[in-house]
Amino acid sequence: MPINCNCPVCGSRNTKSLAIIFESGQRIGTSTRDSIWTISGALDLGRSTTKSNWASLLATNAAPPGKMNWSYIGWPLIAATVIFEWPLWVVPAVILPIALLYGASDDYLNAEDGTKWRKTFRCLRCGTTFEPFNQ
Ligand SMILES: [Zn+2]
């Protein structure tokens, strides 16, 4: 029996999982453009290379929950102590409360979030996010 993925709010069948929306919105590529410009009668050959990581806004909104990474907090903190001449105890003073809040089990929590994210669908008509497997 197929899973009913219809939007629970508007009944639209135009729904996609967040993972599909996210992946289909990614553009990572290199574009090289050869161009011949005529500027005041002179011929100019130019080549421009553009590297772009591009994601649509829709895909960005459907991004998976980020993994808690201590280096994102730790390194800027350590840099701040150097730049602003803060005392070094600021680093544990900031990290310890965060560690207590999120707990040592943040990997487990993120795994839970990731599973939920993979199961979540979004209606492309009204924007509602829902979990069809739990209906
Ligand atoms: Zn809908």
Side-chain angles (χ1 to χ4, degrees):
M1 184 178 158
I3 301 154
N4 179 15
C5 297
N6 292 3
C7 174
V9 174
C10 71
S12 171
R13 288 166 64 184
N14 189 14
T15 62
K16 276 181 179 174
S17 79
L18 290 187
I20 297 297
I21 294 171
F22 178 69
E23 282 162 16
S24 63
Q26 304 301 306
R27 301 273 187 284
I28 300 164
T30 307
S31 68
T32 304
R33 194 175 60 181
D34 294 312
S35 51
I36 301 170
W37 303 93
T38 309
I39 304 165
S40 61
L43 194 67
D44 184 28
L45 289 167
R47 166 174 280 199
S48 65
T49 305
T50 314
K51 269 190 183 171
S52 58
N53 286 2
W54 180 89
S56 72
L57 196 58
L58 187 70
T60 307
N61 286 338
K67 251 199 180 302
M68 187 76 174
N69 191 331
W70 290 111
S71 65
Y72 291 159
I73 303 165
W75 287 116
L77 262 181
I78 291 165
T81 59
V82 174
I83 294 163
F84 302 111
E85 294 178 4
W86 289 352
L88 262 180
W89 57 259
V90 167
V91 177
V94 171
I95 284 182
L96 279 178
I98 295 171
L100 286 173
L101 271 174
Y102 286 95
S105 60
D106 61 68
D107 274 341
Y108 168 73
L109 289 173
N110 282 319
E112 284 278 288
D113 283 354
T115 308
K116 194 171 186 285
W117 175 73
R118 253 171 239 113
K119 285 183 180 173
T120 303
F121 275 58
R122 174 168 290 161
C123 173
L124 296 182
R125 186 204 259 172
C126 72
T128 303
T129 52
F130 59 98
E131 286 184 55
F133 305 97
N134 287 349
Q135 282 175 10

